[in-house]
Amino acid sequence: MKKALVILIVSFQLIGCSSAKGQKTNTQVSGVYEREESSEKLELKSDGTYTLWNPEITFTPVIEQCDYASTGKWTILADNVIEITSENYYTEQKGFGYDLKKENKLSQDSLYIQVVFPTDFHPVNLNFTFNHKNNKSITTDKTYIVLPKSKYLWNRRTATNQISFNLNADVSGTEIYKGRILFKIFEESIDTEKHNYLTITLPSFDRCFFEFEPFYQDLILIKNKNTIIWQGDTWSK
C-alpha cells in the first residue's frame, strides 16, 4: 500500500512538472507589440500590467492627444491565450473625483446647479435624477441649469433630496467610439432648503479620462514568441 502511494505521488509530481514546463511565463511574453500597419503599441510589462499606447500623429494640424489609450492588468490563461482587464474595473480612476460646493443664494424656489470641467473638452450630456424617480430627472448639455423645486424635488417641507449625477458620452454622429458611455459621478442626500446652489467641480475629467478604452477579460492569442493576434490584427515585437 505504501509503495503504491509513493508511486502515485511521484506520478502527480511528474505531471505537474510537465504542465509547468509547457506554460509560458510573463517574462517570455512581455514586451512591446506594434500593430500591423499602425504605430499603435501594446506594452505587456513583466510585472503583469499593460499599457496600450496611442499611435503617433502623422497628419496636420496636430490635435491634442493622450499618450496612452488604456492601462490595466494582464495574465496568461493558457499556453497561447492572454487575458487583459483595464484598471477601471478594479480601482477608482481620478476622473471620477469631484468637489461639491453647497451654497444658499438667489431664489429659494429654484435649485441651481453649475458643473465645472477642467477644459472646454467635455462631449457629454449631464443627467440629474432626483429621489430615484425617472420622471424627476433631466438630461442636458448645459453646464449651468436652474430647476424649479416644485417640479423636481419633494414637497418643500421635506428638505432632504437624493440627487444622482451621471455623465453620458454624446456619441451622436460618431462612427467608431471605443470609450465608455456612462460615467456615474455621485449620489448624495442634500438639504436643498439650506443649500439651493450647487457647484460641482470635476478636476480630472479631461480628454484622457473620457477617451480611456475599457477592456474586461479581453482575450489575446499568442501566435508565437514575437507575435500576438488581437482585435482582428497582428501585433509584432
Side-chain angles (χ1 to χ4, degrees):
M1 182 65 181
K2 289 183 179 180
K3 184 176 181 180
L5 182 60
V6 170
I7 293 173
L8 184 62
I9 292 173
V10 171
S11 298
F12 275 123
Q13 289 176 336
L14 290 174
I15 292 172
C17 290
S18 177
S19 299
K21 186 176 181 180
Q23 287 286 336
K24 290 183 172 63
T25 65
N26 281 16
T27 304
Q28 291 173 305
V29 178
S30 61
V32 179
Y33 297 82
E34 185 168 334
R35 193 171 197 158
E36 194 174 61
E37 299 181 2
S38 169
S39 58
E40 189 176 12
K41 296 180 177 66
L42 175 65
E43 182 177 4
L44 300 177
K45 302 175 185 178
S46 58
D47 64 358
T49 63
Y50 79 86
T51 300
L52 176 61
W53 299 98
N54 276 319
E56 298 175 6
I57 297 177
T58 57
F59 55 86
T60 57
V62 176
I63 62 172
E64 179 188 358
Q65 185 186 36
C66 304
D67 292 334
Y68 64 85
S70 183
T71 59
K73 296 178 181 179
W74 69 279
T75 186
I76 299 173
L77 284 187
D79 193 43
N80 64 338
V81 179
I82 297 169
E83 177 186 277
I84 68 171
T85 295
S86 50
E87 67 176 12
N88 56 297
Y89 286 104
Y90 57 84
T91 188
E92 186 173 73
Q93 295 176 295
K94 290 182 179 180
F96 289 103
Y98 68 93
D99 176 70
L100 178 58
K101 183 180 180 181
K102 306 173 187 177
E103 299 176 277
N104 191 38
K105 57 184 180 180
L106 305 180
S107 172
Q108 296 304 308
D109 292 328
S110 300
L111 176 67
Y112 303 84
I113 302 177
Q114 173 80 56
V115 179
V116 181
F117 290 91
T119 67
D120 290 334
F121 180 86
H122 44 84
V124 291
N125 290 317
L126 286 64
N127 175 260
F128 293 93
T129 301
F130 303 92
N131 302 309
H132 305 289
K133 294 183 177 292
N134 289 332
N135 64 333
K136 301 287 186 181
S137 66
I138 182 172
T139 299
T140 178
D141 61 354
K142 307 299 182 184
T143 56
Y144 176 72
I145 56 175
V146 182
L147 306 175
K149 288 182 177 180
S150 59
K151 182 178 180 180
Y152 290 95
L153 307 182
W154 293 127
N155 184 301
R156 290 185 58 181
R157 290 190 296 272
T158 305
T160 301
N161 287 267
Q162 198 76 11
I163 301 179
S164 300
F165 174 41
N166 301 319
L167 298 172
N168 300 88
D170 183 2
V171 295
S172 56
T174 304
E175 294 184 6
I176 299 176
Y177 182 74
K178 299 179 181 179
R180 294 164 286 190
I181 302 296
L182 176 65
F183 301 87
K184 295 182 179 181
I185 304 301
F186 70 69
E187 181 176 302
E188 295 217 13
S189 296
I190 299 174
D191 186 332
T192 52
E193 290 302 295
K194 288 184 178 179
H195 309 107
N196 73 322
Y197 196 107
L198 308 177
T199 302
I200 305 166
T201 303
L202 303 169
S204 300
F205 199 100
D206 56 12
R207 178 186 288 270
C208 295
F209 175 72
F210 176 76
E211 294 181 347
F212 184 90
E213 292 185 30
F215 298 102
Y216 182 68
Q217 297 180 347
D218 214 54
L219 300 181
I220 300 173
L221 176 67
I222 302 173
K223 187 175 181 180
N224 56 51
K225 64 179 182 179
N226 292 316
T227 310
I228 59 175
I229 307 296
W230 186 41
Q231 299 182 332
D233 286 331
T234 299
W235 303 60
S236 302
K237 284 185 180 179

